[in-house]
Amino acid sequence: MTGSTTDPETTDPEALRERALAALLAARERTTLLTSCVEDTELTAQHSPLMSPLVWDLAHIGNQEEQWLLRAVAGREAMRPEIDPLYDAFEHPRAERPSLPLLAPAEARGYAAEVRGRALDVLERTPFRGTPLTDAGFAFGMIAQHEQQHDETMLITHQLRSGQTALTAPDPPSCEPFTGPSEVLVPGGPFTMGTSTEPWALDNERPAHHRLVPPFFIDTTPVTNGAYRRFIEDGGYERMHWWDPAGWAMVRRHNLCAPLFWRREGRQWLRRRFGTVEPVRDDEPVLHVSWYEADAYARWAGRRLPSEEEWEKAARYDPVTDRSTRYPWGDSDPTPERANLGQRHLRPAPAGSYPAGESPLGVRQLIGDVWEWTSGDFLPYPGFAAFPYREYSDVFFGGDYKVLRGGAFSVDEVACRGTFRNWDHPVRRQIFAGFRTARDAGPTETPTPGPA
């Protein structure tokens, strides 16, 4: 089985319309925060060749909304057809976008606001049925997800920029130190991976299909800074045999010795977080590590990264009902008590937090806190069909992209669920990524006791 088909918020057209409105408004509120907390000169600057100027993201958000909601859904004439090429992500790589004749900050804000006003009118008038784009309000959900994905990209840019702190947020709620088992046994057998019923699921999450997964153990929580620090202190960045050859070449070429944004002062590790330098907290999930670093740590620990299907089974499979749920805790939406999402906090919560978000098997923090690298390459599911355009997923299949799962504190709930798939190059470190490890299960094994 897949996620619930009885929840009225995922099936009733008017409930979905309200959901779409709330998602669009929440995304725009966040976009406004991320583009109003710094001077215009900061919006037009390129803070890293890996990222676009913030003002490009702002106008791109408006342009995509215009193309899909005003033109494709409502059939309206283009407002600014001459700017389409400027904001085509495939026509201009990020490194060259600052040299383009981009809309200035005030003009970009005005354009995005005008598009939004018209889009809300389209939302009010559009039947949520009749075409693939309008069925269950898919196009509106897609655009809300698109904007939130760019909000996460802009948050990465804020982390990369130098200068004074521009963003603040309270820390995650404190919790008692986690004392549960360090790993959880996931039983072998079939389960349903992907979805054919989630109304706003994107094409690479579809269709639902059966996978047979042997029994395995997976970490109860993501790997922590403290555990990763032990890898560093044991010469993790100095010993070639832990590393994939391409990862070792990356380490040597860039003289890496720790996660991005870490530095050592005396015997203490510090990190820079959104303009503030602070001690590394041992109990938090490690962040800003590449796939190669995650893979090397797993080998050092005598383990491995989980496959994508293992990760999803740990996150969605309920052995009592023998079905796959939308989230680890069931079919209901995320709440602040279940997961660290939506930029409510600007850091991961301590490992072992959010017991209300625990899976039936006892795995914690599978949704939120940090993206989690898996061993899997980004490939289509059996029966995949590109929709509504090839450039969302299809053109990325078969490259060197590795799949990440679970979302991070930087991700909004509209763009995060048990079936959601993210992907990136294995060298990427600026993204809000961590990991957890896994291992094969022997026929008579039981979980290892003790904290993660």
Side-chain angles (χ1 to χ4, degrees), residues 74-122:
R76 298 186 182 182
E77 292 293 321
M79 292 169 54
R80 300 282 301 270
E82 76 281 2
I83 70 171
D84 288 355
L86 297 177
Y87 298 101
D88 184 333
F90 285 87
E91 189 163 333
H92 301 287
R94 289 175 174 174
E96 71 176 39
R97 290 173 190 171
S99 65
L100 301 174
L102 303 177
L103 299 184
E107 194 175 7
R109 291 189 187 98
Y111 169 64
E114 185 176 357
V115 171
R116 172 51 57 88
R118 298 184 186 190
L120 293 182
D121 178 66
V122 172

Side-chain angles (χ1 to χ4, degrees), residues 430-443:
Q430 82 276 15
I431 59 178
F432 299 110
F435 63 100
R436 69 182 76 214
T437 67
R439 66 179 177 93
D440 299 341

Side-chain angles (χ1 to χ4, degrees), residues 360-424:
L361 294 169
V363 190
R364 295 196 179 185
Q365 291 167 286
L366 285 157
I367 296 292
D369 286 304
V370 296
W371 284 108
E372 298 185 16
W373 289 109
T374 70
S375 65
D377 298 326
F378 186 51
L379 296 170
Y381 290 159
F384 168 83
F387 177 77
Y389 58 105
R390 285 191 64 242
E391 290 78 10
Y392 183 72
S393 301
D394 192 49
V395 297
F396 296 100
F397 293 142
D400 74 337
Y401 299 97
K402 295 294 185 181
V403 176
L404 302 105
R405 289 302 204 101
F409 66 86
S410 53
V411 179
D412 187 79
E413 66 177 77
V414 75
C416 184
R417 48 195 162 265
T419 57
F420 193 92
R421 305 173 76 196
N422 190 8
W423 65 96
D424 214 328

Side-chain angles (χ1 to χ4, degrees), residues 94-393:
R94 289 175 174 174
E96 71 176 39
R97 290 173 190 171
S99 65
L100 301 174
L102 303 177
L103 299 184
E107 194 175 7
R109 291 189 187 98
Y111 169 64
E114 185 176 357
V115 171
R116 172 51 57 88
R118 298 184 186 190
L120 293 182
D121 178 66
V122 172
L123 172 62
E124 186 177 338
R125 299 167 183 267
T126 300
F128 275 21
R129 62 183 183 278
T131 71
L133 272 180
T134 57
D135 285 347
F138 175 82
F140 299 93
M142 178 185 74
I143 287 300
Q145 291 178 83
H146 174 265
E147 182 163 355
Q148 287 285 4
Q149 287 169 323
H150 275 272
D151 288 340
E152 182 179 15
T153 298
M154 289 194 285
L155 189 63
I156 293 170
T157 301
H158 274 282
Q159 168 65 3
L160 287 164
R161 63 178 283 273
S162 58
Q164 296 298 312
T165 300
L167 296 167
T168 59
D171 282 350
S174 59
C175 67
E176 294 296 320
F178 181 68
T179 57
S182 64
E183 59 179 6
V184 167
L185 175 64
V186 180
F191 88 107
T192 300
M193 187 172 185
T195 180
S196 297
T197 59
E198 185 73 31
W200 295 348
L202 303 171
D203 60 4
N204 62 63
E205 302 171 64
R206 301 172 182 268
H209 59 287
H210 293 293
R211 293 283 181 102
L212 182 63
V213 180
F216 66 97
F217 285 93
I218 192 167
D219 290 340
T220 309
T221 71
V223 170
T224 63
N225 290 324
Y228 197 86
R229 183 171 48 77
R230 290 190 287 275
F231 165 66
I232 297 172
E233 292 168 352
D234 194 42
Y237 284 85
E238 300 165 11
R239 300 179 183 178
M240 181 176 66
H241 61 275
W242 302 128
W243 293 82
D244 178 282
W248 182 246
M250 177 189 74
V251 168
R252 304 302 291 173
R253 184 168 58 250
H254 299 290
N255 296 315
L256 303 184
C257 64
L260 186 61
F261 305 117
W262 285 32
R263 74 169 190 260
R264 191 196 294 269
E265 285 195 2
R267 302 183 65 179
Q268 184 179 41
W269 282 103
L270 304 176
R271 69 171 175 191
R272 180 169 60 81
R273 184 178 63 86
F274 299 106
T276 298
V277 176
E278 62 186 20
V280 171
R281 297 186 181 181
D282 277 356
D283 62 346
E284 283 185 5
V286 69
L287 192 62
H288 297 301
V289 290
S290 67
W291 183 91
Y292 290 126
E293 289 166 291
D295 178 64
Y297 172 94
R299 297 184 197 212
W300 169 82
R303 299 169 69 84
R304 57 177 173 79
L305 294 179
S307 67
E308 191 180 0
E309 54 263 43
E310 286 175 334
W311 189 96
E312 187 168 324
K313 185 168 186 179
R316 299 185 62 212
Y317 180 66
D318 185 340
V320 175
T321 61
D322 193 33
R323 60 184 295 270
S324 293
T325 57
R326 296 177 68 212
Y327 298 98
W329 54 82
D331 294 327
S332 54
D333 289 339
T335 63
E337 294 73 36
R338 291 174 173 146
N340 181 7
L341 293 167
Q343 202 180 310
R344 285 190 297 268
H345 314 293
L346 288 171
R347 66 189 322 137
S353 297
Y354 301 103
E358 185 176 276
S359 77
L361 294 169
V363 190
R364 295 196 179 185
Q365 291 167 286
L366 285 157
I367 296 292
D369 286 304
V370 296
W371 284 108
E372 298 185 16
W373 289 109
T374 70
S375 65
D377 298 326
F378 186 51
L379 296 170
Y381 290 159
F384 168 83
F387 177 77
Y389 58 105
R390 285 191 64 242
E391 290 78 10
Y392 183 72
S393 301

Side-chain angles (χ1 to χ4, degrees), residues 4-19:
S4 171
T5 58
T6 59
D7 183 349
E9 288 195 354
T10 64
T11 56
D12 177 66
E14 292 314 307
L16 280 165
R17 194 184 310 278
E18 290 299 315
R19 192 184 189 103

